[in-house]
Amino acid sequence: MIGKLILIAVGSAFINNVVLSQFLGICPFLGVSKKINTAAGMGSAVVFVITLASFVAGVIYKYLLVPFDITYLKTIVFILVIAALVQFVEMFLKKKMKGLYQALGVYLPLITTNCAVLGVALTNVTKDYTILEGVVNGFATSVGFLISIVIMAGLREKMEYNNVPKAFRGMPIVLLTACLMAIAFFGFSGLK
């Protein structure tokens, strides 16, 4: 059991990285990765939301949707669960961490529409994970997102001091960097 959970965790965080392998959650990845502090804050919020959404969605799916044979509503139900959790995170940050709340700006509500969050909930159902396996998958996937966005932010901060050719300044160099990161993470596929 522990071995399977470790395989799920490593696979979700590194091998099938949600941003660099599955290309989900690209909007906040590119938009919030300008500074390490904001990237870490966004990544932490995503860790909380995806982990909790994996648990709540798993419980609702197993104990409500399956017994009543209404699994066709899973996408709508998962979206509602995610929206409610994001509202909770937004209210918490607004009250307790105003600086981070202002730094995240419009990207915090974007977690609601972040396809990575919904993608994890649907993956848990598709792969027929138990609730515990789903939570481990959600946590590991979101940690993979956190790692990716913080690395990208660190690289972007360093790029500000480099002499980048004019044609590559701005988003072109960021996309090129994301491509190189994806290639680097592809090296983890040998761990399977």
Side-chain angles (χ1 to χ4, degrees):
M1 179 66 172
I2 297 294
K4 185 176 182 182
L5 294 177
I6 291 172
L7 284 175
I8 290 171
V10 170
S12 298
F14 298 108
I15 299 168
N16 297 316
N17 185 283
V18 72
V19 176
L20 302 173
S21 176
Q22 298 176 20
F23 308 112
L24 300 173
I26 296 291
C27 182
F29 176 72
L30 296 175
V32 184
S33 62
K34 292 177 183 164
K35 299 287 179 203
I36 290 178
N37 291 341
T38 10
M42 177 65 157
S44 301
V46 168
V47 168
F48 177 77
V49 169
I50 288 182
T51 305
L52 200 55
S54 296
F55 174 74
V56 174
V59 169
I60 289 173
Y61 185 79
K62 184 174 182 174
Y63 295 111
L64 186 67
L65 300 180
V66 171
F68 290 107
D69 196 28
I70 52 173
T71 55
Y72 56 89
L73 293 175
K74 67 181 174 259
T75 304
I76 294 169
V77 170
F78 292 169
I79 289 171
L80 292 174
V81 165
I82 292 164
L85 290 173
V86 170
Q87 287 298 316
F88 173 73
V89 170
E90 191 172 0
M91 288 186 307
F92 175 79
L93 290 179
K94 190 174 185 178
K95 192 168 201 160
K96 300 288 182 184
M97 304 172 130
K98 290 184 182 190
L100 180 58
Y101 174 77
Q102 290 171 347
L104 291 175
V106 71
Y107 293 102
L108 189 57
L110 282 178
I111 296 176
T112 304
T113 58
N114 186 342
C115 52
V117 183
L118 181 59
V120 170
L122 293 174
T123 299
N124 291 343
V125 170
T126 304
K127 291 190 175 183
D128 202 28
Y129 284 154
T130 64
I131 293 173
L132 177 61
E133 291 170 347
V135 170
V136 167
N137 179 52
F139 178 74
T141 299
S142 57
V143 167
F145 178 86
L146 174 66
I147 290 168
S148 301
I149 197 169
V150 168
I151 290 173
M152 176 59 93
L155 292 171
R156 285 179 78 172
E157 283 185 1
K158 296 289 182 193
M159 281 189 282
E160 288 182 22
Y161 302 109
N162 293 338
N163 187 15
V164 178
K166 189 174 182 179
F168 286 102
R169 288 185 190 145
M171 196 49 68
I173 194 72
V174 172
L175 292 174
L176 186 61
T177 304
C179 291
L180 293 173
M181 285 177 61
I183 291 170
F185 270 70
F186 182 71
F188 289 118
S189 64
L191 294 175
K192 283 185 179 179

